[in-house]
Amino acid sequence: AESSNLSTAGVSKSKNNWKLKSIVTLALTLLTSSQAILIVWSKRAGKYEYSVTTANFSVEALKCLLSLIALYRTWSSQGVTEDNRLSEIQWAAFILLCAGCTTAQLNPSSDHVLQTPIQGWMMAIVMALLSGFAGVYTEAIIKKRPSRNIKVQNFWLYIFGMLFNLVATCVQDFDAVMNKGFFHGYSFTTVLMIFNHALSGIAVSMVMKYADSIVKLYSTSVAMLLTAIVSVFLFGFHLSLAFFLGST
């Protein structure tokens, strides 16, 4: 009977974990797909009327506030301790994802990519390596202590984000902020964009905690597809054959 109860509890926990992974991944996909749309809408005549650095600071501050509120509501913990070696299916999916994203961004009517200087290739490779390392390292830090509450980790992460963006605001937009105010040029769309970025950041951390970096990559890739489809109706964006092939 005890063995049966343990088995039932294990199945129930597995279902709950899968449900949580699905929810946070879907949330990240929808939030990311709407980011580009809100950024475009927040512009006026192709320019930002607000200070981008103050908007970034507001995003970090909002994420910090949401994490602090969540800490007051719950103090539960959950982590992933299983082996993170990639299976053959995961490797195949990863390669397909790389091939698809590359194909979707190619322009068949231009040979500019083939004419890119070696410095451009090197910088692109370095950027890809840094981005990949940052994603995996962030996942490792979050999962290093399974008992550590994700909300505590988020809180301290966003504190540092606020500090760095505050420095950027002082360096780049100090005069504008002092003369026009911290929230000069903000509109309703700007506020929506800030909320979107804040919730997206929290969703990323949740995906890293309860899923992994590869799930995050697929989520953002699907978001790219959704953004392109919505842009067709909103901005008259034309989808190329390469985009359809890459998406497929």
Side-chain angles (χ1 to χ4, degrees):
E2 183 178 352
S3 176
S4 177
N5 290 335
L6 291 175
S7 177
T8 302
V11 171
S12 178
K13 183 178 180 180
S14 178
K15 288 183 178 180
N16 290 334
N17 287 343
W18 175 253
K19 183 179 180 180
L20 181 59
K21 291 179 182 179
S22 301
I23 291 175
V24 296
T25 303
L26 178 61
L28 177 61
T29 302
L30 295 177
L31 289 168
T32 305
S33 62
S34 58
Q35 275 185 10
I37 305 298
L38 290 173
I39 290 175
V40 173
W41 277 347
S42 69
K43 293 181 179 181
R44 293 294 181 271
K47 296 182 179 180
Y48 298 107
E49 293 186 351
Y50 56 89
S51 169
V52 175
T53 56
T54 62
N56 289 333
F57 176 84
S58 300
V59 169
E60 297 299 321
L62 181 58
K63 289 192 288 188
C64 187
L65 177 62
L66 292 175
S67 298
L68 188 60
I69 293 174
L71 279 175
Y72 279 106
R73 295 188 60 185
T74 178
W75 199 261
S76 60
S77 61
Q78 181 180 1
V80 180
T81 58
E82 65 263 19
D83 193 0
N84 272 345
R85 293 179 181 177
L86 300 183
S87 66
E88 293 180 357
I89 294 180
Q90 286 177 312
W91 273 112
F94 191 71
I95 294 172
L96 271 177
L97 179 63
C98 293
C101 288
T102 303
T103 305
Q105 298 182 62
L106 288 178
N107 185 358
S109 62
S110 173
D111 58 353
H112 179 70
V113 174
L114 300 178
Q115 298 176 356
T116 302
I118 186 64
Q119 295 91 339
W121 284 102
M122 294 302 297
M123 289 300 99
I125 293 173
V126 170
M127 182 183 68
L129 291 175
L130 288 177
S131 177
F133 174 79
V136 176
Y137 188 66
T138 301
E139 179 187 349
I141 291 177
I142 291 177
K143 293 179 177 177
K144 187 175 182 180
R145 297 180 180 179
S147 60
R148 189 76 181 271
N149 194 299
I150 182 65
K151 301 176 184 64
V152 175
Q153 294 172 314
N154 280 342
F155 176 76
W156 288 110
L157 174 65
Y158 303 145
I159 285 290
F160 282 101
M162 290 174 60
L163 292 176
F164 283 117
N165 280 283
L166 183 61
V167 171
T169 301
C170 293
V171 172
Q172 299 181 25
D173 298 316
F174 182 78
D175 292 337
V177 170
M178 293 300 296
N179 295 328
K180 301 179 181 179
F182 191 88
F183 299 106
H184 74 274
Y186 277 45
S187 63
F188 179 70
T189 306
T190 308
V191 175
L192 285 180
M193 183 191 67
I194 290 174
F195 270 91
N196 177 281
H197 277 69
L199 294 176
S200 296
I202 294 177
V204 168
S205 66
M206 298 290 284
V207 169
M208 290 293 199
K209 180 74 172 182
Y210 302 116
D212 53 50
S213 299
I214 297 180
V215 172
K216 174 182 172 292
L217 287 175
Y218 263 92
S219 174
T220 52
S221 299
V222 173
M224 178 182 70
L225 173 62
L226 293 178
T227 301
I229 294 175
V230 174
S231 297
V232 171
F233 299 98
L234 295 180
F235 310 116
F237 180 70
H238 296 287
L239 300 180
S240 65
L241 177 61
F243 183 86
F244 279 111
L245 292 175
S247 301
T248 303

